[in-house]
Amino acid sequence: MLHDLFSPSVQHGLDLAGIFVFAISGALLAVRKNFDVFGIAVLAEVTALGGGLFRDLMIGAVPPAAFTDLGYFVTPLFAAALVFFLHPQVERINRAVNTFDAAGLGLFCVTGTTKAYEYGLGLTSSAALGLATAVGGGVLRDVLANEVPSLLRWDRDLYAVPAMVGAGIVVLCIRYDALNTFTMGTAVITAFVLRLLAMRYHWRAPRAWNRRSHAQEETA
């Protein structure tokens, strides 16, 4: 399905771009945690490839693309090296990095959903794996860095919800035989814009109704 909408070179380039920006976010967290060069590389790799690895293993696409395409494996290492030597400069353009990260989120939730559907999963399962593709690497990153995953924290801007919306648009288009380049692009842009708006206006998911906990927001 994806190869019918995009040429292999375009699809590969989009994948590498998403992998690169996710790897940057993982490497930056490693620097903030005072990890050594190996830790920076590991967090970059896990953040960039974790979601796709999980998806491929779940749908039986083995060996996963991360191990059959050298570019997928090397790109996070390049991002890790960039952050290792230039992390003060990268930190200064953190807003731009977050923007690209939002673009990667939108792209991966769509490509993950369509790939899962291509391998025979139902619409709901495909959307779930699309979400996992988009946010799985970030979850693994936070766990390895000994942090509560960002998408589970009430004091973080919406992250999973935009990916859920993007994946939902894809499965609706599949259901009504309307999936094409335009509708896939619409799904990517919708998830991307929702994530940007969440960061701009600090949109957060509601907590439990009538909750009695008075836990305070964690300090950075």
Side-chain angles (χ1 to χ4, degrees):
M1 186 177 299
L2 282 175
H3 55 268
D4 295 331
L5 299 174
F6 300 109
S7 69
S9 59
V10 170
Q11 178 60 38
H12 189 255
L14 291 173
D15 283 345
L16 291 181
I19 286 171
F20 180 77
V21 294
F22 278 2
I24 288 286
S25 71
L28 284 174
L29 178 60
V31 171
R32 295 184 193 116
K33 288 285 186 176
N34 203 30
F35 287 5
D36 63 14
V37 62
F38 182 75
I40 293 172
V42 167
L43 232 57
E45 289 281 359
V46 166
T47 308
L49 304 177
L53 282 172
F54 175 78
R55 176 205 61 214
D56 288 351
L57 291 174
M58 289 298 100
I59 64 180
V62 292
F67 294 108
T68 58
D69 188 319
L70 186 61
Y72 285 13
F73 187 80
V74 171
T75 298
L77 294 180
F78 176 73
L82 185 69
V83 171
F84 180 80
F85 289 107
L86 300 173
H87 64 87
Q89 290 81 0
V90 175
E91 286 278 14
R92 281 200 290 270
I93 60 168
N94 196 47
R95 179 172 296 181
V97 171
N98 286 336
T99 300
F100 284 113
D101 181 84
L105 181 81
L107 174 67
F108 281 9
C109 72
V110 170
T111 58
T113 302
T114 54
K115 185 171 183 179
Y117 185 76
E118 285 178 337
Y119 275 78
L121 270 66
L123 295 179
T124 302
S125 299
S126 296
L129 277 185
L131 171 63
T133 303
V135 305
V139 171
L140 292 173
R141 172 201 65 204
D142 293 342
V143 169
L144 288 177
N146 198 30
E147 290 196 347
V148 176
S150 294
L151 82 166
L152 301 180
R153 292 180 55 171
W154 68 270
D155 58 334
R156 292 292 188 268
D157 302 330
L158 291 179
Y159 194 81
V161 171
M164 291 170 62
V165 171
I169 292 173
V170 172
V171 296
L172 284 175
C173 290
I174 293 173
R175 172 66 178 80
Y176 294 103
D177 197 26
L179 190 66
N180 52 47
T181 304
F182 175 76
T183 53
M184 283 187 66
T186 299
V188 171
I189 292 171
T190 299
F192 171 62
V193 171
L194 281 176
R195 173 58 181 160
L196 290 183
L197 290 173
M199 290 190 294
R200 172 66 177 82
Y201 296 105
H202 303 296
W203 291 347
R204 293 167 184 173
R207 287 180 284 173
W209 186 258
N210 286 334
R211 67 183 187 88
R212 298 187 181 279
S213 171
H214 297 288
Q216 299 297 313
E217 181 174 337
E218 292 186 18
T219 58

